[in-house]
């Protein structure tokens, strides 16, 4: 195929060259009806590009096949059999993938370090999770993806499970041995879903970790807005092999997806694929060199340590590491990542990625350069110098790994939709949670519907909130009370 083409972008240009008089949505009619104050902030180009996908860019019957052509180009670019675009983010794409593998009351192996969107999929679908424990670094208090041996052990105990789902890379950049996990699944004729939301760039440079399709995954879900050049909510999911019917996967996406997709998102996805095919090698040669230099400069600052492969990659830990996730341990400064991130934003207008009780992280992409890297270095240098002003920081209670692992005693769907009550947090230990309790970012639930709470997880969450942790999905944002199942 001609990878210099960008069908959605080209159709949008043709639409502008020969505009239609539309008597269809969107109601702003190319921005003519938009409030001038909105136009001043958003720009007229946004509204000019916001046209109806079917009956706008394409005709009523989609006979020109613009979107299909763009998806086929994407599939060829990355070596997948099929690719589907989503304008509802990977939160939708991963649910579609799950529903293509398992249905209500069927079982699916799931790494316990999954994003909250996967838990939402379990709730919506009524799938019964068989949890696979991640690799826990007790010294750094950090979870890495589960191993192939852990998936094999759960499969051996539950041979009727419909398939498996693993998250790789994690928001900390650590990667699973996907080839080994895929082999465990395929030896049993089961499909593997990889939530590779943080890995849109991985297919495009040999110095990056191996991406899911090359490792043998059946479905790979990618958030192109995270590490690529697409807009927020841009997602693609790729399919290969014959363990999942592409028609079934498309049906599941149709079930959950919007009937009013954004041409802005489609066009950005289309253009990003062309950019990567034509320029990714040069872009990532430069970006990876910049990452190496930036990591070394930060690591040289007093009180800061940049985690690398020596920290994260070893037997019992992660299999690989994305160097573009710059994870900085600031524990020697005597403060928390929450407090440091707030200080950096207020004093240097810098926003950081993952912040936890002892770390901050900076996500680098092909959009970064020496100017942005220098800004980061200057800010972190002043952070280290200002550390005395950030102490003492509230301490977060971090339980042992076994104490963080709650027992799943109800189906997530039953706990979420069943009778519930709100109880003071002091009385929640021993109760079954009916809500997700998710430190964010990175968005991995500490407790999820159907799990029985214990004192250690409650202390972790409560002390975390006191220290600056955000738990946005709790019914009570202050975490003074928790929503639990009414038990008879």
């Amino acid at each position: 195929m001609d990878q210099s083409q960008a069908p959605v972008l080209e159709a949008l240009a043709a639409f502008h060259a020969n505009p239609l008089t539309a008597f269809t949505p969107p109601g702003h009619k190319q921005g003519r009806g938009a409030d001038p104050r909105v136009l001043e902030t958003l720009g007229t180009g946004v509204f000019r590009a916001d046209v109806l996908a079917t009956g706008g860019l394409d005709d009523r019957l989609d006979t020109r096949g613009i979107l299909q052509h763009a998806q086929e180009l994407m599939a060829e670019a990355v070596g997948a059999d099929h690719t589907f675009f989503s304008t509802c983010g990977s939160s939708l794409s991963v649910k579609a993938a799950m529903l293509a593998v398992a249905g209500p009351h069927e079982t699916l192996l799931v790494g316990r370090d999954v994003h909250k969107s996967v838990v939402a999929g379990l709730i919506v679908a009524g799938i019964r999770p068989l949890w696979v424990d991640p690799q826990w670094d007790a010294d750094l208090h950090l979870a890495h993806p589960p191993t192939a041996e852990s998936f094999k052990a759960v499969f051996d105990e539950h041979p009727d499970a419909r398939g498996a789902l693993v998250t790789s890379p994690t928001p900390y950049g650590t990667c699973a041995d996907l080839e080994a996990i895929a082999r465990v699944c395929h030896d049993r004729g089961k499909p593997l879903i990889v939530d590779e939301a943080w890995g849109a760039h991985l297919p495009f440079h040999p110095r990056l970790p191996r991406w899911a399709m090359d490792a043998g995954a059946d479905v790979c879900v990618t958030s192109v807005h995270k590490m690529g050049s697409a807009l927020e909510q841009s997602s693609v999911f790729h399919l290969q092999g014959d363990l999942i019917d592409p028609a079934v996967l498309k049906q599941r996406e149709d079930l959950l997806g919007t009937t009013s997709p954004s041409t802005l998102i489609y066009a950005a996805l289309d253009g990003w694929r062309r950019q990567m095919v034509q320029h990714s090698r040069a872009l990532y040669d430069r970006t990876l060199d910049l990452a190496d230099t930036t990591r070394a400069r930060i690591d040289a600052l007093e009180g800061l340590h940049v985690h690398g492969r020596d920290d994260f990659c070893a037997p019992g830990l992660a299999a690989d590491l994305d160097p573009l996730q710059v994870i900085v341990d600031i524990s020697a400064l005597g403060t928390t990542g929450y407090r440091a991130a707030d200080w950096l934003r207020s004093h240097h207008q810098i926003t950081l990625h993952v912040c936890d009780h002892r770390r901050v992280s900076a996500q680098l992409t092909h959009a970064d350069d020496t100017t942005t890297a220098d800004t980061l270095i200057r800010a972190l240098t002043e952070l280290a110098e200002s550390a005395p002003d950030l102490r003492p920081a509230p301490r977060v209670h971090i339980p042992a790994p076994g104490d963080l692992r709650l027992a799943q005693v109800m189906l997530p769907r039953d706990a979420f939709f069943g009778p519930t009550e709100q109880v003071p947090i002091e009385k929640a230990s021993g109760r079954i949670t009916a809500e997700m309790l998710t430190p964010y970012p990175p968005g991995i639930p500490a407790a999820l519907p159907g799990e029985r709470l214990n004192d250690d997880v409650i202390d972790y969450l409560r002390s975390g909130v006191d220290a600056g942790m955000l738990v946005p999905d709790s019914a009570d944002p202050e975490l003074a009370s928790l929503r639990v199942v009414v038990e008879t």
Side-chain angles (χ1 to χ4, degrees), residues 300-364:
L301 297 176
E302 186 175 355
L304 303 184
H305 172 64
V306 178
H307 287 300
R309 293 183 58 85
D310 289 345
D311 299 311
F312 285 171
C313 301
L317 299 177
D320 206 347
L321 176 67
D322 179 1
L324 300 186
Q325 298 293 352
V326 183
I327 313 298
V328 185
D329 191 318
I330 65 165
S331 56
L333 299 181
T335 190
T336 63
Y338 310 122
R339 181 162 286 187
D342 292 342
W343 187 91
L344 287 164
R345 183 178 181 119
S346 62
H347 287 76
H348 286 274
Q349 292 73 54
I350 280 180
T351 58
L352 294 177
H353 178 206
V354 177
C355 307
D356 63 22
H357 64 289
R358 62 183 291 172
R359 283 169 287 261
V360 296
S361 75
Q363 166 198 330
L364 299 180

Side-chain angles (χ1 to χ4, degrees), residues 464-481:
V465 169
D466 290 343
M469 177 192 292
L470 181 65
V471 186
D473 42 16
S474 172
D476 177 2
E478 302 298 324
L479 226 64
S481 61

Side-chain angles (χ1 to χ4, degrees), residues 136-142 329 357-359:
W136 179 256
D137 187 325
D139 294 328
L140 298 179
H141 299 290
L142 194 70
D329 191 318
H357 64 289
R358 62 183 291 172
R359 283 169 287 261

Side-chain angles (χ1 to χ4, degrees), residues 209-288:
R210 193 177 189 189
W211 90 291
M213 292 282 98
D214 284 349
D218 299 274
V219 179
C220 169
V221 173
T222 298
S223 296
V224 181
H225 66 95
K226 285 184 167 68
M227 295 295 289
S229 301
L231 300 173
E232 284 292 309
Q233 294 183 217
S234 301
S235 174
V236 296
F237 47 111
H238 307 284
L239 173 67
Q240 66 180 357
D242 57 6
L243 292 179
I244 298 174
D245 185 342
V248 171
L249 183 58
K250 182 66 174 69
Q251 273 194 331
R252 301 307 187 260
E253 194 277 335
D254 285 343
L255 178 69
L256 299 172
T258 178
T259 56
S260 304
S262 168
T263 54
L264 285 163
I265 293 177
Y266 282 161
L269 282 169
D270 198 22
W272 171 78
R273 180 268 314 157
R274 182 173 62 182
Q275 180 190 28
M276 290 296 100
V277 169
Q278 295 179 336
H279 305 297
S280 61
R281 180 58 68 94
L283 286 171
Y284 281 103
D285 278 344
R286 176 185 59 78
T287 304
L288 287 163

Side-chain angles (χ1 to χ4, degrees), residues 154-173:
V154 180
F155 262 129
D156 288 346
E157 190 175 347
H158 301 276
D160 294 331
R162 302 287 294 173
L165 186 152
V166 66
T167 302
S168 179
T170 69
Y172 292 90

